[in-house]
Amino acid sequence: MFATVIDPIPQHSLAVDGTDARFPVRRVYCIGRNYAAHTIEMGGDPDREAPFFFQKNPDNLDQSGAFPYPVKSSDVHHELEMLVALKSGGTSITVEDALGHVYGYAVALDMTRRDLQGEAKDARRPWEIGKAFERSAPCGPLIPAERIGHPATGAVSLTVNGDTRQTGDLDQMIWKVPEMIAYLSEYYELAAGDVILSGTPSGVAAVQRGDEMVARVAGLPDLTVRVT
Ligand code: MN
């Protein structure tokens, strides 16, 4: 260990179901428009074109069960997603080898300051101000793939105060998990600790303080998050 000229910065990490050992987070990649119905609702063309990604920050991941309504926005949307956590990485990973790099999965939310994202889009600026803010990625505990395998089909849904807002199926992803890993590895050097948010089905909508969101991905524990 080396001396630090400021206080050492804590390594951000995620809780893993069934163990006190934690998963340290290195990077967070998020795919845009990975379900056709959501692509259409956002004004895009659902024909399969090259995927695109943006990033959140490792410490935007939050397992507290609370989502503090963020500053500087009055239109904050939920996006129901599945989180994929990598135990290893590399470059030029093949689709066939990709799942061998996955440690586990979790239910996650890609919370979005939609008004700020829209302003950025209109100005052809980066999206980070709408996406990568404090506690913008609530998520549940990681579930190891060695226990549940690699979910590729199964219902996903999100309710707010008991009303269903988002529904879909993992098999509706335009770019499947192995394809996302392979594609990212052509542009970045992936590594242990990287996580990928795999996109949202249609039905994204605004939340208000006091709302209770329940996110479900078949085979994973439900994620309940209160907007505070
Ligand atoms: Mn998203």
Side-chain angles (χ1 to χ4, degrees):
M1 198 49 198
F2 51 86
T4 54
V5 296
I6 58 172
D7 290 341
I9 298 166
Q11 166 71 56
H12 199 71
S13 63
L14 295 176
V16 178
D17 189 63
T19 175
D20 290 335
R22 298 179 66 86
F23 179 90
V25 181
R26 175 179 178 263
R27 293 184 187 171
V28 181
Y29 296 99
C30 307
I31 192 169
R33 298 185 178 177
N34 200 29
Y35 286 75
H38 174 63
T39 303
I40 293 167
E41 77 178 349
M42 297 305 289
D45 180 345
D47 286 350
R48 182 167 152 131
E49 50 190 27
F52 69 92
F53 293 83
F54 57 91
Q55 292 186 38
K56 295 202 182 213
N57 301 298
D59 68 351
N60 296 156
L61 294 166
D62 185 280
Q63 294 175 306
S64 70
F67 171 69
Y69 199 95
V71 298
K72 299 291 187 185
S73 178
S74 56
D75 189 24
V76 178
H77 282 202
H78 52 72
E79 295 191 0
L80 161 68
E81 317 230 349
M82 183 171 74
L83 182 154
V84 184
L86 302 188
K87 63 183 178 185
S88 56
T91 57
S92 300
I93 296 168
T94 64
V95 170
E96 293 70 30
D97 289 343
L99 291 180
H101 295 282
V102 174
Y103 173 76
Y105 298 88
V107 179
L109 296 170
D110 168 15
M111 299 305 294
T112 301
R113 293 194 282 209
R114 193 71 76 199
D115 41 6
L116 298 187
Q117 183 198 27
E119 291 170 15
K121 282 184 185 176
D122 290 344
R124 296 178 172 270
R125 289 176 183 153
W127 289 6
E128 274 71 17
I129 200 164
K131 289 289 195 180
F133 55 91
E134 276 58 42
R135 297 169 72 175
S136 60
C139 59
L142 270 179
I143 310 297
E146 65 183 21
R147 195 194 313 167
I148 59 159
H150 297 279
T153 65
V156 301
S157 67
L158 181 129
T159 63
V160 176
N161 305 328
D163 297 331
T164 300
R165 292 265 188 97
Q166 296 193 260
T167 58
D169 193 290
L170 294 174
D171 68 8
Q172 295 168 341
M173 286 185 193
I174 297 170
W175 293 89
K176 312 302 185 193
V177 171
E179 294 173 319
M180 282 188 263
I181 293 169
Y183 188 90
L184 278 168
S185 77
E186 296 296 327
Y187 289 84
Y188 302 99
E189 184 168 345
L190 297 178
D194 289 351
V195 309
I196 301 168
L197 297 190
S198 56
T200 193
S202 61
V204 300
V207 295
Q208 309 300 332
R209 289 178 182 82
D211 284 348
E212 183 181 77
M213 301 180 282
V214 179
R216 296 188 171 94
V217 173
L220 296 172
D222 293 353
L223 169 65
T224 300
V225 178
R226 174 76 65 177
V227 184
T228 60

